[in-house]
Amino acid sequence: MYEFAVTPAVTNIRRRGVEISDVTPDSLGDEMELEAGDRIIKVNGRTVRDYLDFRFQTAGETELVLEVRKKNGEDWELELERGEGEDFGLTFEAIVPRQCANECIFCFCNGNPADARPSLFIKDEDIRLSFLYGNYTTLTSISEDEMRRLVEQRLSPQYVSVHATDLDVRAYMLGIDKERADISGKLSRLLEAGIEVHAQVVLCPGINDGEVLRKTVFDLAAEYPRITSVAIVPLGLTRYNTDARLTPVTPEFCREVIDHVSAMQQEIKARLGINFALLGDEIYLRAGRQIPATSHYGDYPQIEDGVGMVRSFIRDFAKLRKRIEREGSTNVKRKHGTILTGTLFAPVLQKLVHKLNEQNGSRLVVEPVENGYFGGDVSVAGLLTGRDLLGARDRIKGEFVVIPRQMLKSDDEIMLDGMRLNEVSQSLGVPVHALNLDMLASLLLQKN
Ligand code: SF4
C-alpha cells in the first residue's frame, strides 16, 4: 500500500542538499528570500541530505547559518536568528526511497502485471520511510552511515520485516546469503540505542510457519519491551506469482495458524501482560473466525499493516451510527446507493450497513467486487482498480456509489490501473465518492 505514500524514484542521480518545494508568504523563509527550487546544502556546516536532516539540524537552534544553492545557480550563505520554535515556513521535496537488494520469494513486485504503474515496482527499503510512514525494512541493505544516522536522529519507531529468526529460513525467504540475512548485530544496536522496533512476519505456508514461527515469536518476545509487537500477516499471491516455492494461504491454514498463535498469545500474555504477536485481519476473515475484541490489540501498534483495522472500523462504524442518530435521520432516510468493496471485507460491511438501514430507513447496498486486475487471492479493497469497479456495473443500485478512500492514490483521484475517479463515475453513470467513514457520515446526513 505504501507505493502511494512516497514519490517514485525517478532518478538515481543524488543531488546535494534538499530542494524547497514551497515557501509560505511572510514566513521566515520568505523573509530570507528563499524560493521554491532553491536547495539547502548545509545547516551550521553540517550536510543536509533530505528534510529529515534539515529538521534535525535546525531543531532547537536559534542562530543558524544556511548554505543555499539558489535555483539560478548562485551560492548564498544566510545568517539568521529565529525565535524559539519559530517555523521556517518551508516545504521540501519528498524523500526518494532507497531500493532494497533482496530477492524475496514473496515480493509483491513479482505479483504485478507487466503494465502496472512504475511506482508498484519500487522495492523500497528505507529506514526514513519506516520512521515516517511505517514502511517495513529488512535492515539487510542498511549502510553504516544510515545506521549512525538512525541512532543519532532517533528515527524511532522502526518497522522491521523479520519473517523468521531461523537464519536459514530468513536467508531463503529474502533470497540472499546468510551473512547478509543475519541482522542480529544491527537489531541489537538499534535496541541498545533505545529505538523502538515493531517486527513483521509474512507467513508463507510450509516455510516459516509451525515451529519456525514459534521460535520467531518467542525470540522476538524475549526482547520485549524493546521490540514492542510482531505482526503476522499472510502471504498474498496474485495470478502473476508463479513461483513454485510458494503455497497459497487457504482457510484451513488460517484456522490452524489462529489456533497455533492463540496458544502462544496465552503463554506470552501470562508473562508479559500483552498478546505481543498479533495476526493480520485477513487471517481471521479467511478462516471465517470472529475478529478479536478491541482489547486484544492493545494500542493497535501495527494497524496500518492490516492488524486490527477491521476491529477499529467496526468501532468507528458504531460511532457513525451514533452520530447519525444524534444529528437526525430525515436526510439519511432518502439515501439510496451502493457501497463497493473487496470480497474479503464485504460480509463484515454488509452486516454493519444492514443495521444502519434498519435504524435509519436508508437503502444502502454493499456489493463485493472481485479483483480481476491482480487475480489470485487478492481480495482487499485497497487493491481494487477502476476496471474492477466497472465490472460491478450491473449490481449498482440507487443514485450514487461509495468506494473506500484507500482505493485512490493519497494525493490524486487515480486508481491503481490509472483510471481516474471521474472516468469511473462517467462510465457508471452515477457519482462515485471515495470516502472514509467520517465522509460517509457527512454524505448520509447531507440534504439530497
Ligand atoms: S524487501 Fe523483499 S518484499 Fe520488500 S521490496 Fe525488497 S524484495 Fe520485495
Side-chain angles (χ1 to χ4, degrees):
M1 93 178 44
Y2 293 114
E3 68 278 358
F4 284 170
V6 296
T7 298
V10 288
T11 172
N12 287 326
I13 304 165
R14 296 266 310 274
R15 291 186 296 162
R16 291 172 63 219
V18 60
E19 185 170 310
I20 297 170
S21 55
D22 197 25
V23 182
T24 309
D26 302 322
S27 65
L28 191 55
D30 194 21
E31 276 170 36
M32 292 189 294
E33 295 179 32
L34 290 170
E35 307 163 277
D38 294 349
R39 298 185 73 81
I40 298 185
I41 309 294
K42 286 187 179 177
V43 172
N44 290 347
R46 294 196 67 188
T47 302
V48 173
R49 292 159 291 192
D50 49 43
Y51 72 81
L52 282 177
D53 268 349
F54 180 81
R55 206 163 84 181
F56 179 75
Q57 284 159 23
T58 56
E61 300 285 346
T62 49
E63 292 183 12
L64 292 147
V65 180
L66 304 187
E67 289 177 39
V68 178
R69 168 69 54 92
K70 295 291 290 176
K71 67 177 174 189
N72 63 8
E74 288 175 13
D75 286 318
W76 285 11
E77 189 172 281
L78 299 170
E79 285 183 34
L80 68 128
E81 280 187 29
R82 65 166 180 158
E84 209 146 312
E86 187 181 2
D87 189 43
F88 287 91
L90 301 176
T91 308
F92 293 102
E93 63 182 339
I95 285 173
V96 177
R98 298 199 205 299
Q99 311 270 312
C100 87
N102 301 328
E103 288 296 337
C104 296
I105 55 175
F106 52 82
C107 182
F108 200 80
C109 295
N110 304 333
N112 288 326
D115 62 350
R117 61 165 64 216
S119 64
L120 286 181
F121 290 96
I122 295 176
K123 296 168 98 179
D124 76 80
E125 164 97 338
D126 199 315
I127 47 132
R128 299 169 299 174
L129 302 180
S130 192
F131 165 65
L132 290 169
Y133 304 118
N135 294 20
Y136 293 88
T137 72
T138 61
L139 291 180
T140 50
S141 327
I142 186 169
S143 64
E144 178 53 31
D145 188 38
E146 285 174 303
M147 248 341 240
R148 272 204 299 266
R149 173 195 187 157
L150 198 165
V151 170
E152 185 193 9
Q153 298 185 356
R154 299 203 53 76
L155 302 182
S156 176
Q158 286 290 313
Y159 294 80
V160 180
S161 278
V162 173
H163 305 316
T165 51
D166 178 306
L167 198 50
D168 287 303
V169 176
R170 185 169 204 259
Y172 175 73
M173 291 180 76
L174 299 187
I176 54 176
D177 62 42
K178 282 208 278 185
E179 201 183 324
R180 272 198 52 221
D182 183 2
I183 53 163
S184 50
K186 292 173 187 169
L187 206 50
S188 303
R189 216 166 132 192
L190 295 193
L191 297 177
E192 275 156 26
I195 304 293
E196 183 184 357
V197 169
H198 295 280
Q200 186 203 39
V201 169
V202 172
L203 199 57
C204 299
I207 299 177
N208 61 341
D209 52 349
E211 276 312 300
V212 177
L213 179 63
R214 185 176 166 85
K215 174 175 160 44
T216 304
V217 167
F218 280 93
D219 285 349
L220 295 170
E223 293 294 346
Y224 179 82
R226 301 193 303 178
I227 295 181
T228 316
S229 64
V230 55
I232 303 166
V233 296
L235 162 75
L237 292 179
T238 73
R239 80 161 77 96
Y240 304 97
N241 289 110
T242 49
D243 194 320
R245 294 170 296 177
L246 297 173
T247 309
V249 168
T250 61
E252 183 53 34
F253 174 78
C254 292
R255 286 190 279 275
E256 282 167 20
V257 168
I258 294 170
D259 295 341
H260 186 205
V261 172
S262 299
M264 290 193 246
Q265 286 167 343
Q266 277 177 20
E267 268 183 69
I268 293 174
K269 196 164 192 175
R271 256 196 292 142
L272 306 180
I274 62 158
N275 285 320
F276 183 72
L278 301 170
L279 288 170
D281 300 343
E282 210 175 325
I283 295 184
Y284 295 100
L285 294 174
R286 280 166 178 253
R289 295 265 182 93
Q290 192 81 18
I291 293 282
T294 303
S295 58
H296 178 87
Y297 295 101
D299 55 0
Y300 290 76
Q302 301 204 52
I303 190 167
E304 293 300 329
D305 201 22
V307 180
M309 216 177 235
V310 172
R311 176 52 63 198
S312 163
F313 185 94
I314 293 170
R315 200 181 49 188
D316 291 347
F317 201 89
K319 287 187 200 150
L320 170 144
R321 280 180 52 202
K322 280 202 183 119
R323 177 178 162 197
I324 286 176
E325 217 172 295
R326 219 178 32 242
E327 294 183 30
S329 62
T330 339
N331 296 327
V332 184
K333 215 177 268 176
R334 297 193 202 103
K335 294 295 186 300
H336 183 203
T338 305
I339 304 176
L340 299 178
T341 188
T343 50
L344 193 66
F345 185 56
V348 177
L349 191 57
Q350 277 164 340
K351 277 191 201 152
L352 297 173
V353 166
H354 178 70
K355 278 192 195 156
L356 182 79
N357 286 339
E358 275 191 340
Q359 176 190 296
N360 299 288
S362 51
R363 285 182 295 150
L364 301 174
V365 183
V366 177
E367 287 293 342
V369 179
E370 294 281 341
N371 195 314
Y373 186 73
F374 289 107
D377 55 22
V378 177
S379 48
V380 295
L383 292 175
L384 287 171
T385 65
R387 269 169 274 171
D388 294 328
L389 298 181
L390 299 189
R393 181 192 310 271
D394 295 344
R395 291 183 283 141
I396 287 171
K397 297 177 190 74
E399 291 99 41
F400 60 87
V401 164
V402 171
I403 59 168
R405 182 87 203 148
Q406 68 265 34
M407 277 186 60
L408 299 183
K409 197 169 180 238
S410 59
D411 57 354
D412 198 359
E413 296 199 323
I414 191 165
M415 293 175 213
L416 280 170
D417 60 352
M419 272 196 92
R420 302 199 71 85
L421 190 61
N422 60 353
E423 290 177 276
V424 178
S425 291
Q426 264 167 22
S427 181
L428 292 178
V430 284
V432 178
H433 307 285
L435 307 178
N436 58 28
L437 268 182
D438 275 346
M439 294 155 119
L440 175 63
S442 303
L443 176 85
L444 296 179
L445 288 163
Q446 234 173 47
K447 267 192 180 164
N448 279 2

